Amino acid sequence: MNLKLVKYVIYFVAFLFVGEVFAQSLTLPEIKLGMQGTDNPKQVVGMLKILGILTVLTLAPAILIMMTSFTRVVIVLSFVRQALGTQQMPPNQLIVGLALFITFFVMSPVLTKVNKEAVQPYLKNEITQEVAFNKALYPFRKFMFNQTRESDLALFVKMSKTEKPKTRADVSTAVLIPAFITSELKTAFQIGFIIYLPFLVIDMITASVLMAMGMMMLPPVIISLPFKIMLFVFVDGWSLLVGSLVKSFG
């Protein structure tokens, strides 16, 4: 998928998200260069609203990242590095970059649908901002619902102290997002535990052999590291890992 289109869709959804919050009460300000005192509270309130919008826009990419597959992917990749024991290899920048591109790949059907049903009709003035916001949010909600455990969703519904929803449409997005993130964290840690097991076995065998040879002063990690890297390369670990991650969102 074209990365420019992905970036365009993400910022468009962020714009709609912010606009939906402030559209009812915000009026377009008069822009002036300079500072002067005022006795009109409306002018102060307007500037505070603008400051709030800029703050939300700054955080919007991070908010949208939490509504995608990025959380699971980046945690699993970090677990792989820790299990291998390679310290800073791959570096953090590479892990985050790989996680972002995998996220774009996984979310491409969602972003394509948002662009087709919300972005393009809105730019052609065929739908209003409110309708565009709802149409843009729906694919993200559907994706999050498919990855969220019912127990996590029920937990946040209970803590919100709202009426029990009868359908998915009745579930608030403010309830769905933290439930989705919690489910993603649990799934990522489960995958990380499975990844750790074979490398843990290698560490234990190495430590036992060194102890039997009386080489207790030699750190087992130094000996086991080449064997763990060799095992990971031998089974084509990166392809297997990335393929399993993408399929886990199916």
Side-chain angles (χ1 to χ4, degrees), residues 13 67 110 113-114 117-118 131-146 168-169 173 176:
V13 175
M67 298 168 59
V110 176
K113 189 173 183 180
V114 170
E117 298 183 0
V131 174
F133 173 77
N134 292 330
K135 286 183 175 292
L137 188 60
Y138 175 77
F140 284 97
R141 283 174 56 90
K142 183 178 179 180
F143 172 81
M144 289 188 288
F145 271 120
N146 292 337
R168 287 184 172 185
T173 304
L176 176 59

Side-chain angles (χ1 to χ4, degrees), residues 11-42:
Y11 278 97
F12 178 80
V13 175
F15 168 76
L16 290 177
F17 180 81
V18 175
E20 181 69 16
V21 176
F22 293 97
Q24 296 181 353
S25 58
L26 180 64
T27 57
L28 293 177
E30 180 183 359
I31 300 177
K32 292 183 179 180
L33 296 178
M35 299 179 62
Q36 60 181 5
T38 179
D39 295 328
N40 188 355
K42 293 183 179 181

Side-chain angles (χ1 to χ4, degrees), residues 133-191:
F133 173 77
N134 292 330
K135 286 183 175 292
L137 188 60
Y138 175 77
F140 284 97
R141 283 174 56 90
K142 183 178 179 180
F143 172 81
M144 289 188 288
F145 271 120
N146 292 337
Q147 306 301 325
T148 303
R149 292 178 173 83
E150 292 185 2
S151 58
D152 294 326
L153 188 59
L155 173 64
F156 281 93
V157 170
K158 182 179 179 181
M159 289 192 297
S160 66
K161 297 180 180 180
T162 57
E163 185 179 354
K164 185 178 179 179
K166 298 180 180 179
T167 62
R168 287 184 172 185
D170 298 330
V171 178
S172 171
T173 304
V175 173
L176 176 59
I177 292 177
F180 166 74
I181 296 173
T182 303
S183 293
E184 286 294 281
L185 288 172
K186 183 176 181 179
T187 303
F189 273 74
Q190 288 176 340
I191 297 174

Side-chain angles (χ1 to χ4, degrees), residues 1 18 27 58 106 111 119 142 146 167 172 192 198 208 223 227:
M1 184 179 181
V18 175
T27 57
T58 303
V106 172
L111 297 175
V119 177
K142 183 178 179 180
N146 292 337
T167 62
S172 171
S208 299
I223 305 300
F227 289 99

Side-chain angles (χ1 to χ4, degrees), residues 115-129:
N115 179 63
K116 181 179 179 181
E117 298 183 0
V119 177
Q120 297 302 325
Y122 179 75
L123 294 178
K124 296 177 182 178
N125 294 323
E126 296 176 356
I127 57 177
T128 62
Q129 179 178 319

